[in-house]
């Protein structure tokens, strides 16, 4: 069902659109967690550490594809808000053609660079082969990730957040089943978990495509639209590339942090991985709010309603403030009972807990600056501004780089864990100031100065 976000009170609209996204994002995290839980319990703590050590590389791959495909769909959202249906269809076809090229590029680059990247990140020798086996299969399935992100973003661009949720829930359940089959019955180890993820995402992408073409006429390109349009390509690339690099820059900072964590051995890596999965799960409301604001900003930018954009940001900030406090409480309370899910009975969870607790408690104190990043960054992207959000990623990278360098120099695990909070504070301040600049620029462009 499509949703016009240019009419009605912002808060109810934003929450109505966000809730399915939260559920969908949680399910996506659950099937990512399924890989680590099943690997940890049925293959071993070393294999769990191996999968965890590739987490930042996966974030680099999936973040780049998510960023660039989201950038391709900003134009669709803006044209939908402007009631330009032919332009919407043309942008859909153009984005799909561009995504094919992106898939080929990312697949080749990923497969060729993985071994060198794992060595650069100080991946412990005892988990290196499992880490390589897992991530190389993920690279082979990049296309599934690219097209799921693209097609679900097209549906969200016209206000439909329910259909992607349904397909993602089905895919998440399938991923758990495939994990169990490939790992337990076929004894495929960490590679089995990666293949389960790839196949699940491919099925989710296929379902999105079928639904989009069958049930959402405005997103169904006609024959005349299936060619690269120079103007549309220029706009989509101009928005998509900075968004992709913003994710890539953020992921690079996370890889630097992972390199610092890796220095403390596979036990610390396994505990950090389990804690990180829990944190990712409870912070999905922040990610979902960002996805909502991209659509909200795009549609209202297309309509030219600056006051409504500001009102939506105020509503989102209020909602995220409350959510951040609740998420911080939940992550601290759930750490002890949840960390045991990741390890088999022969692993002493009490040994893992201090490593995990240091990371979780430190991060929970800084959930508010983390949440505002998603709001400011995505509202700017929805309005067609790609450079400033990308520079927000640069501020994250700089903060993580400095903190990680000091942590590695001092061999301090708590300081290595502080890489994330340092990055959130830096990016939160930068994107907040950037948002104010963008609003002044839009006011001038719309003749309201």
């Amino acid at each position: 069902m499509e949703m016009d976000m240019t009419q009605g009170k912002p808060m109810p609209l934003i929450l109505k659109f966000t809730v399915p996204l939260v559920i969908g994002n949680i399910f996506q995290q659950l099937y990512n967690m399924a890989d680590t839980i099943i690997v940890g319990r049925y293959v071993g703590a070393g294999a769990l550490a191996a999968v965890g050590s590739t987490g930042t590389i996966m974030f680099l791959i999936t973040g780049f594809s998510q960023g660039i495909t989201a950038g391709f769909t900003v134009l669709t959202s803006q044209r939908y808000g402007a009631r330009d249906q032919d332009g919407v269809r043309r942008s859909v076809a153009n984005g799909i053609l561009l995504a094919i090229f992106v898939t080929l590029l990312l697949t080749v680059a990923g497969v060729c660079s993985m071994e060198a990247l794992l060595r650069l990140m100080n991946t412990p020798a005892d988990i290196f082969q499992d880490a390589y086996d897992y991530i190389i299969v993920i690279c082979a399935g990049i296309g599934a990730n690219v097209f799921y992100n693209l097609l679900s973003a097209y549906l969200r661009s016209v206000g439909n957040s329910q259909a992607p949720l349904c397909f993602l829930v089905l895919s998440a359940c399938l991923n758990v089943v495939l994990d169990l089959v490939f790992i337990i019955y076929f004894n495929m180890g960490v590679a089995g978990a990666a293949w389960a993820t790839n196949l699940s995402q491919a099925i989710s992408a296929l379902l999105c495509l079928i639904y989009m073409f069958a049930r959402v006429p405005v997103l169904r390109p006609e024959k005349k639209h299936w060619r690269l349009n120079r103007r549309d390509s220029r706009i989509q690339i101009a928005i998509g590339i900075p968004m992709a690099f913003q994710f890539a820059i953020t992921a690079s900072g996370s890889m630097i942090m992972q390199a610092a964590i890796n220095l403390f051995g596979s036990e610390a890596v396994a505990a950090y991985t389990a804690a990180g999965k829990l944190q990712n799960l409870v912070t999905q409301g922040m990610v979902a709010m960002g996805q909502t604001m991209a659509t909200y900003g795009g549609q209202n930018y297309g309509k030219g309603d600056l006051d409504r954009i500001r009102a939506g940001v105020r509503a989102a900030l209020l909602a995220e403030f409350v959510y951040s406090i609740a998420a911080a409480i939940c992550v601290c309370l759930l750490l002890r009972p949840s960390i045991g899910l990741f390890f088999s009975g022969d692993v002493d969870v009490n040994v893992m807990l201090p490593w995990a607790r240091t990371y979780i408690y430190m991060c929970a104190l800084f959930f508010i600056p983390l949440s505002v990043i998603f709001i400011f960054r995505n509202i700017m992207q929805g309005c067609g501004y790609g450079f400033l959000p990308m520079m927000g990623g640069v501020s994250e990278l700089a903060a993580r780089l400095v903190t990680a360098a000091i942590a590695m120099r001092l061999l301090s695990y708590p300081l290595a864990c502080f890489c994330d909070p340092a990055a959130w504070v830096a990016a939160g301040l930068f994107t907040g100031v950037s948002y104010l600049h963008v609003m002044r620029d839009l006011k001038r462009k719309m003749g309201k100065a």
Side-chain angles (χ1 to χ4, degrees):
M1 178 171 52
E2 300 167 30
M3 181 185 297
D4 183 357
M5 303 187 79
T6 64
Q7 304 289 334
K9 292 182 178 180
M11 180 67 88
L13 275 174
I14 288 171
L15 293 179
K16 182 179 179 181
F17 190 84
T18 301
V19 168
L21 292 178
V22 175
I23 298 171
N25 288 346
I26 287 174
F27 268 93
Q28 190 161 30
Q29 290 301 313
L30 285 175
Y31 81 60
N32 290 337
M33 286 178 68
D35 286 348
T36 52
I37 291 173
I38 294 171
V39 165
R41 295 188 70 86
Y42 292 99
V43 186
L48 171 62
V51 173
S53 70
T54 67
T56 52
I57 302 177
M58 280 192 66
F59 179 51
L60 175 63
I61 295 169
T62 60
F64 190 93
S65 65
Q66 183 180 352
I68 200 164
T69 54
F72 291 168
T73 63
V74 166
L75 181 62
T76 306
S77 180
Q78 292 175 351
R79 287 178 174 172
Y80 184 78
R83 308 296 190 267
D84 179 8
Q85 293 196 0
D86 188 70
V88 168
R89 295 188 179 97
R90 190 172 67 245
S91 71
V92 169
N94 208 75
I96 290 174
L97 295 174
L98 290 175
I100 293 172
F101 174 76
V102 169
T103 296
L104 294 174
L105 182 64
L106 289 178
T107 302
V108 172
V111 170
C112 293
S113 64
M114 277 309 110
E115 183 174 355
L117 196 53
L118 287 172
R119 296 192 187 282
L120 185 64
M121 291 175 59
N122 302 318
T123 305
D126 59 332
I127 61 173
F128 187 91
Q129 189 58 50
D130 276 345
Y132 179 79
D133 291 344
Y134 181 80
I135 198 62
I136 204 70
V137 175
I138 292 294
C139 287
I142 284 174
N145 184 273
V146 168
F147 278 94
Y148 169 71
N149 282 315
L150 178 71
L151 298 172
S152 60
Y154 276 138
L155 289 169
R156 290 194 299 269
S157 71
V158 298
N160 188 331
S161 59
Q162 290 87 3
L165 166 63
C166 295
F167 303 141
L168 189 56
V169 169
L170 178 62
S171 178
C173 296
L174 178 62
N175 183 78
V176 174
V177 173
L178 291 176
D179 270 332
L180 294 170
V181 171
F182 290 164
I183 292 174
I184 298 176
Y185 292 100
F186 292 160
N187 198 29
M188 293 173 65
V190 293
W195 280 118
T197 297
N198 289 346
L199 289 174
S200 300
Q201 287 188 329
I203 290 172
S204 191
L206 179 61
L207 292 172
C208 280
L209 180 66
I210 294 171
Y211 179 89
M212 193 173 85
F213 277 70
R215 302 291 299 274
V216 190
V218 72
L219 295 178
R220 188 191 309 140
E222 300 171 5
K223 184 178 180 180
K224 64 180 180 180
H225 298 128
W226 287 104
R227 66 181 189 276
L228 285 174
N229 179 280
R230 181 176 298 178
R231 180 174 178 273
D232 285 7
S233 295
R234 186 173 63 251
I235 294 171
Q236 288 175 313
I237 291 172
I239 299 174
I241 291 295
M243 290 178 70
F245 274 112
Q246 175 259 306
F247 274 98
I249 292 166
T250 300
S252 298
S254 298
M255 289 166 67
I256 294 168
M257 177 181 174
Q258 182 72 59
I261 298 290
N262 287 348
L263 291 176
F264 297 92
S266 56
E267 183 181 278
V269 174
Y272 163 76
T273 298
K277 292 294 183 181
L278 175 61
Q279 177 181 282
N280 288 339
L281 184 65
V282 301
T283 56
Q284 285 309 302
M286 305 174 193
V287 179
M289 183 62 76
Q291 294 170 318
T292 297
M293 296 314 291
T295 299
Y296 180 90
Q299 289 192 15
N300 285 285
Y301 174 84
K303 185 182 178 182
D305 194 339
L306 183 59
D307 291 337
R308 186 171 176 81
I309 292 174
R310 287 199 185 100
V313 169
R314 289 193 296 269
L317 286 171
L318 176 60
E320 285 288 66
F321 180 80
V322 174
Y323 180 88
S324 297
I325 295 173
I329 294 171
C330 284
V331 78
C332 293
L333 293 177
L334 293 174
L335 178 62
R336 181 64 180 85
S338 65
I339 196 169
L341 295 173
F342 293 88
F343 303 102
S344 59
D346 59 345
V347 175
D348 187 356
V349 174
N350 291 322
V351 174
M352 298 290 184
L353 196 58
W355 298 103
R357 187 183 288 122
T358 299
Y359 176 69
I360 282 292
Y361 286 4
M362 191 174 295
C363 289
L365 295 172
F366 294 89
F367 277 176
I368 289 177
L370 172 62
S371 68
V372 303
I373 296 171
F374 292 104
I375 295 172
F376 292 139
R377 184 164 61 200
N378 283 276
I379 197 72
M380 289 189 287
Q381 291 169 341
C383 294
Y385 289 76
F387 179 74
L388 287 173
M390 182 183 72
M391 293 308 295
V394 172
S395 69
E396 285 188 61
L397 174 61
R400 280 198 178 94
L401 179 60
V402 171
T403 309
I406 299 172
M408 287 188 279
R409 179 66 178 247
L410 300 178
L411 280 180
S412 170
Y413 179 75
L415 195 54
C417 293
F418 189 67
C419 288
D420 274 347
W424 300 341
V425 171
L429 291 172
F430 183 91
T431 54
V433 173
S434 298
Y435 163 74
L436 296 176
H437 167 76
V438 166
M439 289 299 102
R440 287 194 297 269
D441 191 51
L442 287 177
K443 185 177 180 180
R444 178 182 57 80
K445 288 179 178 178
M446 293 179 180
K448 296 180 180 181

